[in-house]
């Protein structure tokens, strides 16, 4: 992997990712886990930390963490325990967050970026989200406790990432694992995948790390890459000017594409970590782990290998793997059509292209439209009752009008003409007018056949069924012999 060196400095990056688990209920209560519902509707006394309430770990979330640990090739902790991280802030009504400080559920993993390069993952642990706060213009702070207690997994890498490109690739690979294993929908723009990036620079080859700056909550992979570029250049400049790089927390401004100082980072905040006394340590067995993996783990590599085996180009493999929603729709259609590249062409190029033309996205497509696309592909590939040109027009109209395929075919006269009594006179007309061409049949059969069939197709606006025309052509040939 190409790594850009700046004035003999190299960049060191470590990433912390928080993902919201796809879970019906919260981490330690049975409240609904959804932050899009009306504010403060999914709250229980446990989420608010009322005295005497007892948190109960969500088994499905523990299972999802085990699947992630497996996918990252980690050591899995068999004594599941939780700890309190104590601090005071208005978004934390309990005064502490329940997390896994002492015994993270997974340790020492890796994600491969390509055959030779991987990112070391230090740990993954389960924890709960805090309330969501919004600041009004007059300074009032509003709190939505729907988010309190929503299950999270934090993923912490070692400081081993060497460039913005590697960081971007790492996040894409991680997102594949999270989405294909139903761990999280991992949408950065919606906050279900949140990224903090730690960046430092050091002279090439130096053993000692430089002072790091932490950039919080960057909202897209693209901006993660830009933030790293900007911040690492800034740090090199500062060092060359003999200024001090301050250990700071910053944010990325996506308008100016620069990092902005928020506060100095104090390393030794004392969170008084302690074992959460209201949750018993739960020992899980090897059999339990094996079962969870067997029932829930999806191997990304085998899916990619399968696509490759079906002659899908690397470009389209990446497109499908980086967009789980697209992949699911691809799979829905391909389970019936069983021709990867045709499905990619019609779904990813024509269908998505038509959506984009009317400013819609794939997520706006309805099940109805998807089913109609499938039907269109059957007509096109299985029955050959429409041709590719008509198919394109139908897909466009499907998105624009939302009418069903049969109606569109009817309305646009795309119905194929298969009636020999209609097609024969048309073909005969051209044979009559081009006798010398027909006489060349023995020397160049393919060209002559193509010529006449082409004439009929043109005459019928592409509605003639080419197979039927070929049949008639062969009949006429026999008569002329
Ligand atoms: P904190 O809890 O204060 O954020 P951690 O020690 O948990 O600190 O480290 C957080 C992240 O910072 C990790 O991903 C780690 O890899 C990264 N990191 C640590 N030191 C450096 C450094 N010198 N340069 C870049 N990243 C670093
Ligand atoms: Mg941090």
């Amino acid at each position: 992997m190409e790594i850009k060196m700046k004035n003999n400095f190299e960049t060191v990056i470590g990433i912390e990712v928080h993902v919201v688990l796809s879970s019906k209920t919260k981490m330690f209560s049975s409240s609904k886990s959804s932050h899009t519902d009306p504010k403060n509707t999914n709250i229980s006394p446990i989420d608010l930390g009322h005295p005497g309430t007892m948190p109960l770990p969500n088994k499905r979330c523990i299972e999802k963490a085990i699947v992630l640990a497996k996918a990252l090739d980690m050591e899995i902790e068999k004594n599941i325990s939780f700890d309190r991280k104590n601090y005071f802030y208005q978004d934390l009504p309990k005064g502490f967050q329940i997390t896994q400080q002492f015994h993270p559920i997974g340790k020492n993993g890796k994600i491969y970026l390509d055959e030779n390069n991987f990112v070391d993952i230090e740990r993954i642990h389960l924890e709960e989200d805090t309330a969501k706060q919004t600041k009004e213009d007059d300074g009032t702070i509003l709190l939505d406790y729907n988010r309190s207690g929503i299950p999270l997994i934090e993923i912490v890498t070692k400081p081993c990432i060497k460039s913005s490109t590697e960081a971007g690739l790492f996040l894409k690979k991680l997102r594949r694992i999270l989405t294909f294993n139903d761990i999280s929908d991992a949408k950065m723009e919606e906050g279900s995948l949140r990224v903090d990036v730690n960046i430092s620079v050091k002279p090439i080859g130096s053993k000692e790390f430089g002072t790091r700056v932490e950039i919080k909550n960057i909202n897209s992979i693209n901006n993660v890459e830009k933030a790293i570029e900007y911040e690492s250049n800034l740090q090199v400049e500062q060092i060359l000017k003999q200024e001090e790089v301050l250990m700071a927390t910053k944010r990325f401004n996506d308008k100016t594409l620069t990092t902005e100082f928020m506060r100095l980072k104090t390393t030794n905040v004392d969170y008084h970590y302690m074992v959460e006394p209201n949750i018993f340590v739960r020992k899980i067995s090897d059999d339990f782990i094996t079962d969870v993996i067997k029932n829930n783990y999806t191997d990304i590599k085998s899916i990619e290998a399968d696509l490759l085996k079906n002659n899908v180009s690397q470009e389209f493999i990446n497109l499908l793997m980086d967009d789980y929603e697209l992949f699911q729709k691809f799979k829905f259609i391909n389970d019936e059509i069983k021709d990867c590249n045709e499905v990619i062409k019609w779904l990813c190029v024509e269908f998505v292209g038509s959506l984009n033309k009317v400013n819609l996205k794939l997520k706006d497509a309805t099940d109805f439209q998807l089913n109609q696309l499938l039907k269109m592909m059957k007509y096109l590939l299985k029955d050959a009752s429409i041709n590719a040109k008509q198919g394109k027009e139908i897909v466009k109209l499907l998105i624009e009008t939302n009418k069903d395929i049969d109606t569109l075919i009817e309305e646009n006269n795309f119905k194929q003409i298969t009636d020999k009594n209609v097609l024969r006179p048309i073909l005969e007309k051209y044979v009559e007018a081009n006798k010398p061409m027909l006489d060349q049949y023995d020397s160049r059969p393919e060209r002559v056949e193509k010529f006449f069939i082409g004439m009929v197709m043109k005459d019928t606006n592409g509605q003639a069924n080419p197979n039927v025309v070929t049949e008639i052509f062969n009949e006429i040939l026999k008569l002329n012999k």
Side-chain angles (χ1 to χ4, degrees), residues 12 14-16 156-159 198-200 209-210 212 214 265:
V12 175
I15 298 183
E16 295 158 279
V156 184
T157 79
K158 296 236 166 88
N198 296 270
I199 305 167
S200 64
F209 283 168
R212 74 177 146 126
E214 181 178 40
K265 190 173 165 74

